[in-house]
């Protein structure tokens, strides 16, 4: 999706929200009910932001915070030390990114702004928003449950949508929070990024154990199944394959797992086009050659333009490498590609003048032969990137007909987004920057562990201010660098 299209959609969405809000407030038949709804659920409409605030979950959060006090003590103690380590790790990571940006020709991008519809595929927007909302809610629940554990009152809990990004927030009693010792405050401040890290671990475990957890319903290691075909896919239709087709091989490369799909496609792209062993006598018997001419890609053509089943091939003959002559023949592609593969004449059994027959293609095209279980082999001639881009496969084959082909792919994609987005939230919030969790973590850390080294409160406050200023500047510099790379790369 184009950036301008995405911006237009966002502006149109918020314009519609504001118009609906004005309509409901100005119509007498809806006004009272609408305002009662807003008061009950704490709904606020701000500039490019919708907020919903409620005290409905306070009692539930309070009960959860009192479960297993011995476990929660060590749980949030571990989270506190994780948060402290993350402060310094996040700063080091951002500094290294800036150093590499100015010292290396092609530095690795660590911080990348996520823009739905721009660098997040449109078909993955549901994963993106769902994971962002789940990560935000679990992050804030971490703060809330830790606050209950440290006897800090919770005023309420809420969710919001800012521009297009969903999130959550918890409202803690400020006086209670400031009244407890800094180390107990530190546990509350670190609980959010700690829960984000736990989500990352959960996502990793789910990915690693997927073959085992889904083994009762899906078979693995037995092939790959087509889960989605793009509308413009060149291999869709009666001569191609359909959703649910089990693919067995690509150009002789066996497909046993989902990883084999990417590996076999890479072999097609990066290795030379293979040929097919044929006897010269049989080649001449099946020849449909017309006068040679140049194709659109500069390749030599020897078949009629109206032939969908024939393809121009060539073989090389000669007494030495310098005197090789190319002989072009128009043959039936499907029958020819059933022969053994080869890269040179010597790869073929030299019986009755057998040669290696190559398809006559331009540099960007490949001949791809796919074996599947629902018909004859699919022969594709064209751009291999287009072929791979328009076909989605999974290494999980349903054991029962009622099971959907795409369920393992949904779980796999969700886990990958969970790992990346929740991990990014943990790193970002750990930066000692104004308005982020890192601001309060850094301040509580200084007050908890450096009081004996820096007894003067003014000196500690100066250190906090300098640290926050430094963290804010390096984060802003990384964001500016990432935006520049995204918009102008």
């Amino acid at each position: 999706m184009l950036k301008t299209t995405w911006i237009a959609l966002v502006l149109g969405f918020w314009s519609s929200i504001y118009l609906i809000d004005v309509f409901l407030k100005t119509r007498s038949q809806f006004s009272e009910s609408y305002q009662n709804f807003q008061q009950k659920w704490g709904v606020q409409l701000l500039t490019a932001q919708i907020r919903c605030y409620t005290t409905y979950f306070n009692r539930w959060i309070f009960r959860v915070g009192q479960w297993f006090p011995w476990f929660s003590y060590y749980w949030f103690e571990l989270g506190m030390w994780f948060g402290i380590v993350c402060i310094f790790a996040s700063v080091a990571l951002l500094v290294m990114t800036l150093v590499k940006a100015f010292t290396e020709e092609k530095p690795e991008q660590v911080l990348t702004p996520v823009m739905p519809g721009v660098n997040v595929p449109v078909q993955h927007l549901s994963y993106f928003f769902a994971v962002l909302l789940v990560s935000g809610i679990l992050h804030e629940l971490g703060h809330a449950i830790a606050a209950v554990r440290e006897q800090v009152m919770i005023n309420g809990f809420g969710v919001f949508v800012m521009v297009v990004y969903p999130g959550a927030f918890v409202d803690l009693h400020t006086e209670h929070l400031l009244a407890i010792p800094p180390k107990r405050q530190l546990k509350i401040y670190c609980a959010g990024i700690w829960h984000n890290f736990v989500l990352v671990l959960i996502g990793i475990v789910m990915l690693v154990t997927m073959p085992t957890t889904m083994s009762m319903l899906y078979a693995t290691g037995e092939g790959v199944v087509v889960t989605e075909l793009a509308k413009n896919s060149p291999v869709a239709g009666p001569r191609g394959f359909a959703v649910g087709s089990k693919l067995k091989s690509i150009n002789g490369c066996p497909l046993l797992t989902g990883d084999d799909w990417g590996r076999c496609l890479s072999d097609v792209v990066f290795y030379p086009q293979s040929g097919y062993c044929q006897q010269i006598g049989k080649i001449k018997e099946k020849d449909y050659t017309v006068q040679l001419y140049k194709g659109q890609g500069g390749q030599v053509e020897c078949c009629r333009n109206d032939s969908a089943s024939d393809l121009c091939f060539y073989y090389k003959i000669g007494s030495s490498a310098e005197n090789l002559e190319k002989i072009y023949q128009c043959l039936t592609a499907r029958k020819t590609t059933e022969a053994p593969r080869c890269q040179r004449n010597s790869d073929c059994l030299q019986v009755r003048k057998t040669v290696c027959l190559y398809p006559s293609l331009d540099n960007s095209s490949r001949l791809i032969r796919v074996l599947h279980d629902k018909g004859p082999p699919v022969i594709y001639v064209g751009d291999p990137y287009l072929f791979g881009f328009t076909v989605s496969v999974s290494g999980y084959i349903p054991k029962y007909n009622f099971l959907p082909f795409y369920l393992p792919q949904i779980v796999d994609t969700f886990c990958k987004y969970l790992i990346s987005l929740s991990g990014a939230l943990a790193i970002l919030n750990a930066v000692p920057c104004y308005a982020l969790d890192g601001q309060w973590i850094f301040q509580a850390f200084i007050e908890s562990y450096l009081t004996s080294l820096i007894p003067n409160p003014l000196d500690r406050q100066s250190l906090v201010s300098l640290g926050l200023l430094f963290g804010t500047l390096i984060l802003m510099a990384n964001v500016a660098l990432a935006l520049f790379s995204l918009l102008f790369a």
Side-chain angles (χ1 to χ4, degrees), residues 38 58 73 78-79 85 135 147 160 168 192 203 248 259 313 332 335 384 400 414 428 465:
Q38 285 185 307
N58 287 13
Y73 171 81
L78 183 61
V85 171
S135 299
F160 65 89
K248 300 177 180 179
D259 293 336
F313 292 85
T332 304
K335 190 67 176 178
Y400 308 100
F414 181 85
L428 184 65
S465 299

Side-chain angles (χ1 to χ4, degrees), residues 109-346:
Q109 192 69 44
V110 174
L111 188 64
T112 302
V114 179
M115 300 178 67
V118 178
N119 57 355
V120 175
V122 175
Q123 61 268 30
H124 286 181
L125 290 184
S126 56
Y127 298 105
F128 173 79
F129 290 125
V131 168
L132 204 58
L133 186 60
V134 169
S135 299
I137 290 175
L138 267 293
H139 177 101
E140 296 302 327
L141 281 177
H143 291 310
I145 295 171
V148 172
R149 176 67 180 75
E150 300 302 328
Q151 299 180 342
V152 174
M153 190 173 76
I154 301 172
N155 295 328
F157 187 85
V159 294
F160 65 89
V161 175
M162 181 179 292
V163 187
V164 294
Y165 300 100
F169 63 94
V170 61
D171 181 18
L172 303 180
H173 197 290
T174 305
E175 293 182 359
H176 287 188
L177 183 61
L178 296 178
I180 63 176
K183 185 175 180 180
R184 292 170 62 186
Q185 294 178 22
L186 192 57
K187 291 183 180 181
I188 298 174
Y189 298 143
C190 292
I193 60 176
W194 168 239
H195 279 205
N196 282 136
F197 176 69
V198 171
L199 281 178
V200 172
L201 295 180
I202 291 173
I204 293 174
V205 170
M206 288 177 65
L207 272 182
V208 172
T209 59
M210 265 188 66
T212 303
T213 56
M214 291 198 168
S215 60
M216 295 290 292
L217 303 175
Y218 293 85
T220 57
E222 299 179 5
V224 299
V225 62
V226 178
T227 58
E228 185 179 357
L229 279 173
K231 292 181 179 179
N232 63 336
S233 177
V235 290
R239 293 194 176 187
F241 36 75
V243 173
S245 296
K246 182 179 176 182
L247 309 185
K248 300 177 180 179
S249 67
I250 299 177
N251 282 2
C253 179
L255 299 172
L256 299 178
T257 66
D259 293 336
D260 290 338
W261 173 256
R263 178 178 58 81
C264 292
L265 280 180
S266 296
D267 291 347
V268 171
V269 173
F270 296 109
Y271 284 91
Q273 173 71 57
S274 60
Y276 303 89
C277 294
Q278 294 282 342
Q279 294 179 6
I280 294 179
K282 291 185 177 180
I283 292 174
K284 293 181 178 180
E285 290 177 4
K286 304 171 183 178
D287 183 21
Y288 304 102
T289 305
V290 297
Q291 186 175 358
L292 303 184
Y293 61 95
K294 287 285 186 178
Q296 294 182 350
Q299 76 279 11
V300 176
E301 293 287 358
C302 60
C303 296
R304 299 192 314 272
N305 288 328
D306 59 351
S307 175
S309 60
D310 297 337
L311 183 66
C312 187
F313 292 85
Y314 70 91
Y315 60 93
K316 304 174 184 178
I317 57 173
S319 57
S320 63
E322 294 79 12
N323 297 324
L324 287 178
E325 179 185 1
K326 288 185 178 180
I327 307 297
Y328 292 89
Q329 310 274 207
C330 181
L331 303 170
T332 304
R334 189 177 301 278
K335 190 67 176 178
T336 303
T337 55
E338 293 176 355
R341 287 177 176 79
C342 57
Q343 290 295 336
R344 57 187 65 85
N345 290 343
S346 58

